Amino acid sequence: MALYHFHVEQIKRSEGRTAVASAAYRAGEKLHNLWDGETHDYTKKGGVILKEIILPEHAPKRFSDRSTLWNEVEQVEKHYKAQLAYSFDMALQNEFSLEENIELAREFVQKYFVSDGMICDLAVHQPDKEEGGIPNPHFHVLVPIRPLNEDGTWGAKQHRVYHLDEDGNRIKKENGQWEFDAVPTTNWGRPETLDIWREAWADMVNSKFEEKGIDCRIDHRSYVDQGLDLIPTVHEGPHVRKMEKKGIRTEKGELNRWIKATNRMLRSMRATIAALKEWIQEAKEILKEPQEVYLADLLREYLTMRDQVAMTYTRGRSKAKHNNTKRFVEECKYLNQRGLQTLSDFENYLSSVGDQVESSKSFMNQKQTQLKELQQLMEDAKTYAELKPVVDEMKKEKYRFTKARERYRAEHEGELRRFYMVKRKLKEKGFDKEPFPLSAWQKEFSELTAQREAEYQEYKLMQKDLTLLYQIKGDVDKVMRENHPEMLHSDKTKETETEL
């Protein structure tokens, strides 16, 4: 099926990630990182269809080598919290051949990235087989954040724009430092640029669909912007996808499975409600004069119609009549329990069901947000607990001298970076001291999960409700058209039948 997926993130040292490791994973290669001395071997990963580095004209040819390129990126970035690269992953289409998909990927990367001076490490992957992965072929693009100068040397990521007074002189802060804004030297990280890229990719794919005469399209807009207002899934990341692929069910994977199932049900219910509302409006328009249509009376006539058909059967007549009666009793019981006697009652009740669906969706969206936040808190607390012994070890007496401490820092730099990153994130959420309320988080998570499941079961009941309403609508409509033409405008009836 046609799928729109366009995700971008930054590879940051502050999150314990490196550009060399990211490049090795996407290319399915073994690369050694000179910056931290680690070797990353993904040669057994599989699923890499194509990998290539595309250079702008002013880039040195040595960057065609993956190890050279990404080790230079690592070396040029000195800060321990440096932002190293942009990572894009974008879904290709199952409706296109492999050659057509690769051509599309290359065309997009060349037109929107390389032409703007980006060095692009492109890798095309097969569909992810695990549930929750990208079910289409897809491509990754890894791009250094630091731009290249025209002479092929590394440029600056940003420059300073100093604040000036009315006489054009620089303004100093209280600490004696100049006031300035750090302005990026490229537009690559701007939200409006990302919007342009996202729309351009959708347009390019849709043009290919049109060229091939395929009647489907993708949309780059969010659910809200499309007017769909569905529940957004959570980003899983390669670690979670790897665990799911091995059959290890993760909390993020479970949450996404629930979200996808709920969205399918939500789309189905909204479509049914829209169809029923359209039918009610149509029924009102074709009635000769304002009058109440009594549903039970028409359903009884429908039972008679079906029984007359059953009488023509040579075999199974009794079973057919039994099923007709069962259907009639089920429909009448449903209407009586809800006090639905007329078409007006049907319309009002349908409106209330629609309101209930939207209210329930809002409730579940809220729960999804809370669950996502709790998941992140628990993950950060777990990482904190795992890495704290590394930090505590550094505080011991044997590391009180500068050289010993620096040597220890160098040996455990990756672990220390991850520890201080999660510590900062926990502090930003108001949890800056141990012990963290892990039991309370887990309890709240379990309660929210139970509420989510209960709400999902209510959704299923609402879907069953709508299915029966649609069945009643079909039965009533058939009787009105076949048994009571006197109730209807003949010209309207013909017009509607022609449309149908």
Side-chain angles (χ1 to χ4, degrees), residues 130-353:
E130 72 270 19
E131 187 174 1
I134 303 176
N136 290 37
H138 49 279
F139 67 99
H140 299 267
V141 186
L142 204 61
V143 177
I145 292 178
R146 186 177 294 276
L148 279 177
N149 296 320
E150 286 299 321
D151 62 0
T153 60
W154 292 105
K157 292 181 182 177
Q158 57 190 24
H159 64 273
R160 295 181 177 184
V161 176
Y162 290 94
H163 294 190
L164 305 176
D165 60 21
E166 57 186 16
D167 296 324
N169 299 315
R170 293 182 182 180
I171 300 173
K172 280 189 176 182
K173 297 185 287 188
E174 291 182 0
N175 62 6
Q177 300 294 322
W178 299 113
E179 286 188 8
F180 65 88
D181 294 321
V183 179
T185 54
T186 71
N187 65 351
W188 302 343
R190 293 177 182 172
E192 54 268 30
T193 303
L194 177 58
D195 289 341
I196 292 171
W197 289 337
R198 288 174 59 85
E199 184 175 3
W201 175 244
D203 289 345
M204 189 175 289
V205 172
N206 288 334
S207 294
K208 191 67 176 179
F209 280 137
E210 186 174 359
E211 175 189 320
K212 292 176 67 67
I214 299 174
D215 188 22
C216 59
R217 299 292 183 269
I218 60 174
D219 198 317
H220 70 285
R221 296 171 297 171
S222 68
Y223 286 156
V224 174
D225 289 341
Q226 292 179 53
L228 299 178
D229 194 23
L230 299 177
I231 303 173
T233 54
V234 298
H235 179 62
E236 293 176 351
H239 179 64
V240 171
R241 288 179 184 170
K242 190 174 182 179
M243 292 177 67
E244 290 278 341
K245 188 175 183 179
K246 291 179 178 179
I248 304 171
R249 297 176 79 87
T250 64
E251 289 178 345
K252 283 186 176 180
E254 293 288 0
L255 182 56
N256 273 343
R257 276 184 281 275
W258 170 80
I259 290 171
K260 289 174 182 178
T262 302
N263 280 339
R264 284 194 296 270
M265 203 179 299
L266 179 62
R267 281 192 292 264
S268 174
M269 288 192 289
R270 283 175 168 170
T272 303
I273 289 171
L276 287 170
K277 286 183 176 179
E278 185 178 348
W279 169 72
I280 290 171
Q281 186 61 36
E282 177 188 293
K284 285 181 175 181
E285 290 177 356
I286 65 176
L287 288 172
K288 278 187 176 179
E289 56 187 37
Q291 56 187 293
E292 285 296 2
V293 175
Y294 288 89
L295 303 173
D297 293 342
L298 295 177
L299 290 176
R300 190 172 291 106
E301 290 187 45
Y302 185 71
L303 172 64
T304 302
M305 289 171 59
R306 288 180 65 90
D307 282 348
Q308 288 173 350
V309 173
M311 292 298 292
T312 63
Y313 297 168
T314 55
R315 298 176 61 184
R317 181 186 306 167
S318 177
K319 184 177 180 179
K321 292 187 68 175
H322 171 74
N323 289 338
N324 293 342
T325 302
K326 183 179 177 182
R327 178 185 180 117
F328 171 72
V329 170
E330 180 185 36
E331 292 178 342
C332 287
K333 182 180 178 181
Y334 176 89
L335 294 174
N336 288 334
Q337 287 177 340
R338 289 156 181 78
L340 307 182
Q341 298 183 27
T342 67
L343 190 62
S344 296
D345 295 334
F346 189 102
E347 180 179 19
N348 293 333
Y349 180 70
L350 180 63
S351 180
S352 69
V353 171

Side-chain angles (χ1 to χ4, degrees), residues 9-13 15-19 22 26 84 417:
E9 62 179 345
Q10 289 185 352
I11 307 299
K12 306 175 184 178
R13 282 186 184 150
E15 296 177 353
R17 304 174 72 184
T18 68
S22 299
R26 286 154 180 75
L84 303 167
R417 283 199 308 273

